[in-house]
Amino acid sequence: MSKLAANLSKLAYIGTSGGSHDTRRERAFQVTRFSMFLISQNIQIRTVDQIKTQHIENYVKNQLDNGK
């Protein structure tokens, strides 16, 4: 797991005050999938602060195009 994926997963898990363990695990899985998308697009981000709105928009568009 990349440094970004680990950081995002940690933030997704502890940043949510509510939800079951399954919900928290699913959120961590989604941010890991997002970080893998960034890697596949050769977007070199190491910290959460470097994520731009455009990166999230491209990820959502990709997910919709893939039927998810």
Side-chain angles (χ1 to χ4, degrees), residues 4 35 37-46 55 58:
L4 177 64
S35 68
F37 169 77
L38 293 176
I39 291 169
S40 72
Q41 298 296 309
N42 198 26
I43 300 171
Q44 298 175 0
I45 294 177
R46 297 193 185 270
H55 298 140
N58 290 339

Side-chain angles (χ1 to χ4, degrees), residues 12-23:
Y13 191 79
I14 63 172
T16 56
S17 60
S20 68
H21 290 289
D22 289 339
T23 302

Side-chain angles (χ1 to χ4, degrees), residues 21-39:
H21 290 289
D22 289 339
T23 302
R24 291 180 179 195
R25 209 172 313 130
E26 182 63 26
R27 289 177 186 151
F29 176 72
Q30 292 299 328
V31 295
T32 301
R33 185 183 291 170
F34 174 64
S35 68
M36 298 308 291
F37 169 77
L38 293 176
I39 291 169

